[in-house]
Amino acid sequence: MSSEILKKILFTMVRIRLVQEKIAEKYPEQKMRCPVHLCIGQEAIGAGVCTAMDKDDYLFSNHRSHCHYLAKGGDLNAMIAEIYGKATGCAKGKGGSMHLVDVSANILGAVPIVGGVIPVALGAAFGTSLKKENKVTVVFFGDGASEEGVFYESLNFAALKKLPIVFVCENNFYSVYSPLSVRQPSGRDNVALARSFGIHSKKSDGNDAEGVYNAAKEAIEIARSGNGPSLLEFDTYRYREHCGPAYDDHLGYRAECEIKEWTAKCPIEIFRNKLLTDNAVGQNEIDFFVKETVLEIEKAFEFAENSPFPDSDELTKDVYA
Amino acid sequence: MPDIERHIDFATAVLEATDQCMSDDKSVFIIGLGVTDPKGIFNTTIGLEAKYGSDRVMDMPVSENAMTGVMIGASLVGMRPILTHQRIDFMLLALDQVINNAAKWRYMFGGRQKVPIVIRVLVGRGWGQGAQHAQSLQSLFAHIPGLKVVMPTTPYDAKGLLISAIRDDNPVIYIDHRWLHNITGPVPEERFEVPIGKARIMREGKDLTIVAASYMSLEALRAAEVLEKYGIDAEVVDLRTLRPLDEDAIAGSVKKTGRLIAIDGSWKACSMTSEIVAIATEHAFDKLKAAPVRINYPEAPSPTTPALANLYYPKAIDIINPAFGMLGKPSKSEEEVGIVYRNPLDVPDRTFKGPF
């Protein structure tokens, strides 16, 4: 893999982490008045997958979409303004953190109904296929979504029509506080499930950015060459609470040893150390990038805070085209 | 309406509108269970696959919810899908995609995208369709901002509203009634639009307003013909669109007549009749000469046996007697007013032999 790509993945992850941490830091100010689902700890998946995508490819996501949005090239100012409920937000403040969109970056939407976005993404893939456009659609969802009916319905139709889509399941083992053990039979295997539909499928470590990129690259090439859909499942871990800026480990719903194990596997630290060891990136480059990015983020928050709220006549605008 | 020589039936009008829109716009395609089968959704899709190919005229998996989402996604990238279900009951499986996504995609993303899809569904009736094949769920969808809901009665409106629905940039639920399919009427061969959101006065009158939609508008017309014999001049307002509702047409007619009978082929609570009566009282309160009357289905699922189904659906006499009451006349029986049924009550006409 070229060092350009390696660096891009690393810097994408670092930028996403810095944005999230800034949101977490400023959230208690009570100016961001919508739920936020931070993806701190899960950055490798969005960064790896989106780096493997073309700009023209479509992306759809779920309630935990900050990572995917930024990795695909979504506008940072518009995202922060959206979370602040401002008119300059990517959805004019009508969506908030759970409804990020940037059509110019081919991010066609993120929605928080679990699994609800999967068939919509599939429809984009169906549409491009009908129009004979050579575009791939990627949809991100969590382990909970793989329990929804539309997940199976979508695998079925994707396989039936050999559609150019990559289903990406980010398995962080919990749906809010409910662990996999109370939701799925032990030994359930999404890879085997997808393969039973004739869909290419792989499971790998979601905290290994390079592995994610390679798996995504392969799946995207399969889709682009007309060989149909893929399901990629990546195990990962969210470091903070399901929704909100804080840690919630005191609640005891996750075992201490499990938290420790995953904290030690920080996707950014692992990848940064690897690239430094391999001389693919220099510490000074990283330091410079962090310094620049911190400034960029400061400016995005200033932009958001200084932006106006939507006018009152926006209340009933945009209901119909 | 100008004089139109050609008469076709409702099903043919639906087919013709679909055909013409597909011919005009390559982004229009039609998909649904049975679209390509030998029955072609009660003859409304017959011949389309041969003409436009299997990329534009398609059957689909029995996955109503996902397939609705798929149509939303296809519309986001420039297609204009028509999704059909042979019964509106089946659409309940897709409420998540219809209400959470189709109706809200534009608003929740700040107007950045549009969702031009048509979901064409049929209401069943008679021949023992029963509790899960004869529901009328129009008010459920008419409740939701972001959706448009149309419900044509005549072949003319069937064609014009379908063309409008396909050309509209919003999700439109197009509800047609199985019992209207054999009804014939004047329909121009050329393309034309019937505007969404506009009711039509089917029959002008000065004594009483009857507001209805779809098959119930025909019952209203039958009632109005009988009432005329007793010197009562009833106006029949056919809603045609349930969302956005033509409040001006309803209020305007009630202001003129001072009396209102609202009919909705559906259950009473939170139904279209609730809405119609509310509009009349909000906008024509001082013109009302009598309390409005609502006519709906009994508060029970649709029964299968003809013995009970015949009691379930409101008939002309059920409209005539409340009208008599409002105008101070005594109730009469069907025999007295001269209503004779030449067909069994559980079929729309002699040609209908079941099974669905």
Side-chain angles (χ1 to χ4, degrees):
Chain A
M1 195 186 303
S2 80
S3 69
E4 282 312 303
I5 290 174
L6 293 169
K7 267 196 274 190
K8 188 177 178 202
I9 296 171
L10 175 66
F11 289 167
T12 300
M13 286 199 289
V14 169
R15 181 167 176 261
I16 293 164
R17 176 72 60 92
L18 290 169
V19 170
Q20 309 276 309
E21 285 177 339
K22 193 70 178 175
I23 293 170
E25 178 197 320
K26 290 179 74 70
Y27 198 75
E29 292 175 6
Q30 304 259 293
K31 289 181 185 168
M32 287 176 264
R33 303 182 76 85
C34 67
V36 289
H37 300 78
L38 302 180
C39 57
I40 294 173
Q42 305 188 187
E43 295 93 342
I45 301 167
V49 171
C50 293
T51 303
M53 294 171 76
D54 283 354
K55 188 172 185 307
D56 286 347
D57 292 339
Y58 289 127
L59 181 147
F60 288 83
S61 183
N62 56 77
H63 52 283
R64 199 178 305 285
S65 69
H66 297 176
C67 171
H68 316 135
Y69 175 93
L70 291 171
K72 182 68 170 64
D75 186 83
L76 177 64
N77 284 0
M79 168 183 156
I80 304 300
E82 186 59 35
I83 301 174
Y84 274 80
K86 297 301 180 72
T88 53
C90 58
K92 295 195 212 163
K94 294 177 181 179
S97 162
M98 296 196 290
H99 295 290
L100 297 184
V101 66
D102 188 339
V103 175
S104 66
N106 287 316
I107 300 160
L108 297 194
V111 297
I113 299 291
V114 174
V117 79
I118 297 173
V120 180
L122 183 60
F126 186 47
T128 57
S129 158
L130 291 173
K131 291 160 77 181
K132 314 234 181 300
E133 290 176 348
N134 194 17
K135 285 185 183 182
V136 175
T137 298
V138 173
V139 57
F140 291 93
F141 51 91
D143 43 296
S146 76
E147 292 153 23
E148 294 283 1
V150 281
F151 170 66
Y152 310 95
E153 294 181 12
S154 297
L155 290 183
N156 181 69
F157 189 66
L160 175 74
K161 298 281 183 186
K162 284 184 107 177
L163 295 177
I165 187 163
V166 181
F167 299 101
V168 181
C169 179
E170 297 183 85
N171 178 8
N172 67 12
F173 307 103
Y174 293 85
S175 178
V176 192
Y177 303 124
S178 307
L180 276 181
S181 61
V182 300
R183 296 165 22 227
Q184 298 182 8
S186 66
R188 174 188 154 142
D189 181 354
N190 278 338
V191 171
L193 183 93
R195 285 179 183 162
S196 76
F197 285 95
I199 291 176
H200 167 79
S201 188
K202 263 189 184 169
K203 183 180 175 79
S204 59
D205 180 358
N207 282 26
D208 166 16
E210 195 172 345
V212 170
Y213 173 86
N214 287 330
K217 191 87 189 152
E218 182 189 17
I220 288 166
E221 271 164 22
I222 289 171
R224 208 180 303 286
S225 57
N227 290 310
S230 296
L231 170 73
L232 303 177
E233 184 173 72
F234 299 112
D235 287 350
T236 187
Y237 211 68
R238 88 177 130 71
Y239 289 173
R240 305 216 183 189
E241 58 192 336
H242 159 70
C243 178
Y247 294 92
D248 63 355
D249 297 329
H250 63 282
L251 296 174
Y253 69 100
R254 303 193 293 193
E256 227 170 273
C257 56
E258 182 186 282
I259 296 167
K260 271 192 185 153
E261 182 199 338
W262 280 97
T263 310
K265 288 204 292 183
C266 170
I268 298 178
E269 269 183 49
I270 292 173
F271 199 55
R272 181 180 56 207
N273 291 342
K274 182 182 183 314
L275 297 203
L276 285 170
T277 309
D278 295 349
N279 287 320
V281 69
Q283 184 62 48
N284 57 338
E285 274 181 279
I286 297 173
D287 293 344
F288 181 76
F289 179 78
V290 168
K291 205 173 140 195
E292 293 277 295
T293 305
V294 165
L295 279 178
E296 182 204 8
I297 294 167
E298 289 285 347
K299 281 188 183 150
F301 276 80
E302 272 171 37
F303 171 78
E305 296 214 31
N306 294 333
S307 288
F309 282 111
D311 290 338
S312 58
D313 68 349
E314 281 290 335
L315 181 62
T316 52
K317 267 191 196 165
D318 301 326
V319 177
Y320 294 100
Chain B
M1 202 187 300
D3 280 349
I4 300 154
E5 297 256 324
R6 191 183 68 141
H7 281 57
I8 57 174
D9 66 26
F10 189 109
T12 307
V14 167
L15 174 61
E16 188 170 272
T18 310
D19 186 356
Q20 291 178 344
C21 288
M22 291 190 71
S23 154
D24 292 346
D25 184 347
K26 280 206 165 71
S27 64
V28 176
F29 69 96
I30 182 164
I31 187 166
L33 271 166
V35 159
T36 60
D37 76 16
K39 298 281 179 75
I41 318 282
F42 312 106
N43 292 325
T44 60
T45 58
I46 288 285
L48 293 176
E49 189 187 17
K51 191 165 174 185
Y52 297 104
S54 53
D55 273 358
R56 295 183 65 197
V57 185
M58 286 169 274
D59 215 311
M60 70 174 205
V62 191
S63 306
E64 288 84 356
N65 199 27
M67 293 312 297
T68 305
V70 168
M71 296 314 123
I72 296 167
S75 78
L76 294 177
V77 299
M79 303 301 289
R80 302 184 85 86
I82 307 168
L83 172 63
T84 68
H85 303 298
Q86 299 194 28
R87 287 290 182 269
I88 196 170
D89 315 63
F90 311 159
M91 201 178 154
L92 291 178
L93 288 153
L95 283 188
D96 167 48
Q97 289 300 325
V98 172
I99 298 176
N100 278 324
N101 283 341
K104 297 181 176 61
W105 204 274
R106 182 167 180 80
Y107 189 86
M108 69 188 174
F109 294 117
R112 311 284 184 206
Q113 293 155 290
K114 58 186 186 187
V115 181
I117 64 174
V118 175
I119 304 177
R120 184 165 77 81
V121 288
L122 276 85
V123 171
R125 175 176 168 179
W127 206 277
Q129 297 296 295
Q132 298 184 341
H133 277 57
Q135 292 180 83
S136 297
L137 300 166
Q138 56 272 16
S139 51
L140 188 67
F141 297 106
H143 181 62
I144 308 295
L147 299 180
K148 295 186 178 183
V149 182
V150 300
M151 213 168 169
T153 307
T154 64
Y156 181 93
D157 290 337
K159 179 173 174 182
L161 276 173
L162 186 53
I163 290 175
S164 294
I166 294 168
R167 292 177 181 171
D168 199 281
D169 278 339
N170 299 283
V172 181
I173 315 292
Y174 181 102
I175 303 172
D176 68 55
H177 194 291
R178 180 70 185 93
W179 277 26
L180 294 172
H181 276 202
N182 294 344
I183 302 284
T184 57
V187 182
E189 266 185 80
E190 62 269 22
R191 292 138 174 84
F192 65 95
E193 292 185 17
V194 167
I196 293 173
K198 289 282 172 217
R200 181 163 59 95
I201 310 292
M202 272 189 134
R203 183 186 196 283
E204 289 200 37
K206 59 175 176 28
D207 298 328
L208 162 72
T209 297
I210 308 174
V211 180
S214 188
Y215 191 77
M216 282 299 138
S217 292
L218 297 187
E219 294 288 8
L221 278 183
R222 286 172 194 138
E225 280 165 26
V226 173
L227 289 169
E228 191 177 8
K229 292 195 288 189
Y230 293 87
I232 296 172
D233 190 11
E235 178 149 297
V236 176
V237 179
D238 181 28
L239 288 175
R240 302 197 291 190
T241 297
L242 305 190
R243 185 180 189 97
L245 197 55
D246 190 345
E247 299 193 2
D248 292 344
I250 296 166
S253 180
V254 174
K255 278 178 190 165
K256 184 171 77 173
T257 65
R259 297 181 186 86
L260 170 64
I261 294 178
I263 314 172
D264 185 17
S266 183
W267 301 297
K268 185 177 273 183
C270 308
S271 73
M272 292 314 299
T273 60
S274 319
E275 200 60 29
I276 294 159
V277 170
I279 287 164
T281 49
E282 281 170 349
H283 300 292
F285 186 73
D286 14 345
K287 304 284 185 194
L288 285 172
K289 297 171 188 159
V293 169
R294 294 200 278 157
I295 298 173
N296 292 83
Y297 292 170
E299 295 293 319
S302 165
T304 295
T305 169
L308 295 177
N310 291 346
L311 303 171
Y312 190 74
Y313 293 99
K315 299 187 283 292
I317 192 70
D318 303 312
I319 305 165
I320 292 162
N321 277 325
F324 282 156
M326 287 175 124
L327 283 131
K329 293 181 190 287
S331 288
K332 294 191 185 300
S333 68
E334 287 180 326
E335 292 75 23
E336 285 175 288
V337 300
I339 293 176
V340 182
Y341 295 104
R342 282 180 299 260
N343 302 317
L345 287 176
D346 66 342
V347 291
D349 56 65
R350 282 278 170 197
T351 66
F352 194 95
K353 306 277 187 202
F356 64 93

